[in-house]
Amino acid sequence: MATFLHLIKGDSAALAGPVIEASLREADARVTVVRLDGAAAPSLPAGVVVRRLAPGDLDYAGLLDLVFAHDHVITW
């Protein structure tokens, strides 16, 4: 199973959306999106896990854990 982690910054949601959808279409893929500071969430299909780098959701240690837990890390 391929695992994808997309890290989205403020101005990249529109560009990232189609690529995230393509990642999800791979067989048995698991896709996680992390919204960095000020990033809007792109329109995403069901099955994508969305996290936010912010107090109350994800801290830097948790982000680092996600980086090492995924096969592919894509930064936008």
Side-chain angles (χ1 to χ4, degrees):
M1 168 185 3
T3 56
F4 296 87
L5 175 64
H6 291 268
L7 305 176
I8 299 179
K9 61 181 180 166
D11 60 350
S12 59
L15 293 173
V19 177
I20 293 168
E21 290 179 18
S23 298
L24 192 60
R25 285 193 297 266
E26 289 202 21
D28 297 324
R30 186 182 64 167
V31 178
T32 303
V33 171
V34 175
R35 295 172 43 211
L36 302 177
D37 296 330
S43 177
L44 299 171
V48 175
V49 175
V50 180
R51 305 286 307 269
R52 185 168 168 243
L53 186 61
D57 186 359
L58 186 65
D59 60 10
Y60 284 100
L63 177 60
L64 186 60
D65 289 342
L66 287 176
V67 167
F68 287 110
H70 288 77
D71 300 320
H72 307 277
V73 179
I74 301 96
T75 59
W76 294 94

